[in-house]
Amino acid sequence: MLVSAKEMLDKAKAGHYAVGQFNINNLEWTKAVLLTAQECNSPVILGVSEGAGKYMTGFKTVAAMVKAMDEELGITVPVALHLDHGTYEGSKKCIEAGFTSIMFDGSHYAIDENVEKTTELVKLAHDNGISIEAEVGSIGGEEDGVVGMGECADSDECKRVADLGVDMLAAGIGNIHGVYPENWAGLQFDVLDAIQQKTGAMPLVLHGGTGIPDDMIKKAIDLGVSKINVNTECQLSFAAATREYIEAGKDQQGKGFDPRKLLAPGTEAIKAKVKEKMELFGSVGKA
Ligand code: 13P
């Protein structure tokens, strides 16, 4: 069931668990995440970066595929189709294309410009009945060409953006996209705590979910994180399972080269990873 992310995140915040956002790249990815959410009776957010949207030939294709797949598979759990790290233009395109949620990432603008653009997009999103995520303090690392230095968010700026009426807020707390370097300092819980104190009931978003130790994830949820984004870990699982299949020569046995067979181990690996994360985040059975 395609819905805005607002209700599922408000429930997660009140219930002290988090909803996973899993980024999708193609049909297999989408199917794997939808089927796992249904099996786990969990709400879920499908994340689409602008790069992945382009890869799938455009946001309209993505929206049509997700809507049809949701229906054809008979998915009854709440599913939000969400733009990840959207530009101002990309956000508008996704609203038109039929996404049910957007993230406008204005973190690289000065705070006044971030506030101005976010304000405009909050109105547009809400007029169209969809949810919107904003960002303060950039997430470190690189994702689809979007590079952030990983600065921690200022809690007063977070309050200012939360007060614009956004439905969820991403705030940098030392998290980065991709695999964490060995000398990573860890999540800055004092920063998260200060943000949570100032923003109250606002569901907070933790980007860069890949490789954050389980105890840190649990502590972050205790401190108000209600949405956790995972991308790289699914990619690594897919790649490892596909490599194993090919290295075992299975693509050369019988009809093992059939794309439906070739992509099956990777798809199963994504399912297992998504299930593991839903259990960790506490969203199983919360649909
Ligand atoms: P990872 O790729 O580090 O899991 O980050 C995902 C993310 O935050 C998407 O916005």
Side-chain angles (χ1 to χ4, degrees):
M1 188 185 28
L2 270 188
V3 293
S4 121
K6 178 165 175 55
E7 193 183 325
M8 65 171 88
L9 292 178
D10 285 347
K11 273 169 79 178
K13 176 92 184 190
H16 305 288
Y17 59 93
V19 178
Q21 172 191 306
F22 302 96
N23 287 55
I24 56 169
N25 290 287
N26 58 18
L27 181 141
E28 280 73 19
W29 238 268
T30 312
K31 187 172 156 187
V33 178
L34 287 179
L35 286 174
T36 309
Q38 185 70 23
E39 185 192 314
C40 293
N41 195 28
S42 168
V44 75
I45 298 170
L46 303 178
V48 181
S49 66
E50 296 212 353
K54 204 167 158 191
Y55 174 78
M56 288 184 270
T57 75
F59 296 130
K60 281 190 198 162
T61 311
V62 179
M65 174 181 74
V66 169
K67 190 168 180 293
M69 204 186 283
D70 184 73
E71 276 173 32
E72 300 270 24
L73 291 175
I75 303 295
T76 54
V77 298
V79 177
L81 174 60
H82 182 76
L83 171 66
D84 189 26
H85 292 285
T87 57
Y88 177 78
E89 285 308 321
S91 297
K92 288 187 165 177
K93 277 191 189 153
C94 283
I95 294 175
E96 266 174 43
F99 276 47
T100 61
S101 190
I102 55 165
M103 172 190 191
F104 169 60
D105 180 357
S107 62
H108 50 284
Y109 293 114
I111 185 69
D112 286 340
E113 192 166 359
N114 188 357
V115 164
E116 190 186 313
K117 289 189 161 66
T118 301
T119 305
E120 190 190 323
L121 290 169
V122 165
K123 178 160 180 358
L124 198 58
H126 289 172
D127 283 351
N128 283 274
I130 74 169
S131 48
I132 176 165
E133 172 179 345
E135 178 171 329
V136 177
S138 74
I139 313 297
E142 187 269 345
E143 185 177 65
D144 261 340
V146 181
V147 181
M149 297 308 289
E151 83 212 38
C152 280
D154 174 88
S155 59
D156 288 320
E157 289 185 359
C158 287
K159 163 115 182 78
R160 199 172 152 201
V161 174
D163 286 348
L164 301 175
V166 299
D167 304 291
M168 57 202 121
L169 182 70
I173 55 165
N175 42 331
I176 62 170
H177 290 128
V179 175
Y180 284 86
E182 273 186 24
N183 60 355
W184 177 50
L187 296 178
Q188 304 301 298
F189 290 112
D190 51 337
V191 176
L192 177 56
D193 194 30
I195 295 167
Q196 136 102 341
Q197 304 273 344
K198 292 236 167 97
T199 57
M202 173 64 55
L204 300 175
V205 183
L206 181 63
H207 282 249
T210 292
I212 298 179
D214 292 2
D215 58 333
M216 284 196 200
I217 291 280
K218 289 198 168 131
K219 192 163 176 192
I221 294 173
D222 281 348
L223 288 170
V225 164
S226 322
K227 171 175 179 274
I228 302 176
N229 294 5
V230 178
N231 184 11
T232 307
E233 258 188 85
C234 290
Q235 298 185 358
L236 290 170
S237 308
F238 179 87
T242 308
R243 181 173 355 98
E244 201 181 304
Y245 181 87
I246 295 191
E247 281 180 355
K250 292 189 181 161
D251 58 316
Q252 289 159 28
Q253 294 162 14
K255 278 225 167 196
F257 54 82
D258 177 336
R260 282 172 263 168
K261 291 205 166 95
L262 187 63
L263 296 175
T267 307
E268 286 305 314
I270 297 171
K271 280 165 121 175
K273 181 55 74 182
V274 170
K275 187 170 184 207
E276 175 195 315
K277 295 296 175 190
M278 285 177 166
E279 283 166 355
L280 174 64
F281 300 165
S283 68
V284 173
K286 298 287 174 29

